Amino acid sequence: ETGVTQTPRHLVMGMTNKKSLKCEQHLGHNAMYWYKQSAKKPLELMFVYSLEERVENNSVPSRFSPECPNSSHLFLHLHTLQPEDSALYLCASSQDHSGRARQYFGPGTRLTVT
Amino acid sequence: GENVEQHPSTLSVQEGDSAVIKCTYSDSASNYFPWYKQELGKRPQLIIDIRSNVGEKKDQRIAVTLNKTAKHFSLHITETQPEDSAVYFCAASEVRGSTLGRLYFGRGTQLTVWP
């Protein structure tokens, strides 16, 4: 349960605010992911980092800006968000980004944009 | 890219009965199929996964079957208990080369087990 942690767990922000989500993994993995989970929709992959390098950007608006300073930490910087960006943001990690490695999720940050 | 369809979207069973959730995928090159359980307000948790070199895998009351020819895989839960109530997600890997790939998820199945 503590392999992948995320902070904050809940965040309410106005459309003009700037905030950051943080993820940390203690599993020694080399790949980290940001997913968006909205009601009635499949999990949407946003970004993939492998060995601190971004390997995938899934057509995500520029108001979401990821950062991976090292293989254990991942951030998602948020600015000028829209109400439709309200969702659960999940971080995950895996041994590699082959698509065949088990992914382990953090508890998520519940984001509400007002 | 890969397309994963999951059915049913909701499933209600009586405690002790079996539950089956089915998924289909489109990319015949996909070779890894995990299942996740997400309880209300909690993170998705990997409960079982299967790779394309086997047709079935079992872990206590949970089993997954894979039919590569038909491109579908299923989750079977036997002797269901109220604590099995959750949303279950299937996923299939899209493989691009030997080192690059990603998972595509189904929309989820809300399973409710009535005591």
Side-chain angles (χ1 to χ4, degrees), chain B residues 11-82:
Chain B
L11 179 60
S12 291
V13 300
Q14 203 73 35
E15 183 177 0
D17 288 349
S18 295
V20 181
I21 302 170
K22 298 181 179 180
C23 288
T24 61
Y25 61 99
S26 59
D27 186 355
S28 57
S30 291
N31 58 12
Y32 174 61
F33 307 91
W35 286 89
Y36 286 85
K37 174 185 179 182
Q38 188 174 27
E39 296 175 72
L40 190 63
K42 297 196 173 180
R43 74 186 76 199
Q45 286 201 300
L46 179 69
I47 55 171
I48 195 167
D49 55 9
I50 192 168
R51 300 185 189 276
S52 58
N53 56 345
V54 298
E56 183 173 358
K57 185 176 178 181
K58 194 171 179 181
D59 182 3
Q60 298 183 336
R61 296 186 297 109
I62 294 173
V64 58
T65 58
L66 171 65
N67 184 327
K68 286 177 61 181
T69 304
K71 289 188 280 188
H72 67 72
F73 57 111
S74 301
L75 179 71
H76 305 254
I77 306 174
T78 57
E79 300 170 35
T80 54
Q81 300 165 5

Side-chain angles (χ1 to χ4, degrees), chain A residues 77-106:
Chain A
H77 304 298
L78 317 171
H79 64 98
T80 58
L81 294 192
Q82 305 297 312
E84 60 264 28
D85 296 322
S86 298
L88 181 68
Y89 288 85
L90 290 161
C91 173
S93 72
S94 63
Q95 188 58 51
D96 57 55
H97 68 285
S98 66
R100 298 183 292 271
R102 291 174 169 169
Q103 290 188 24
Y104 296 90
F105 285 87

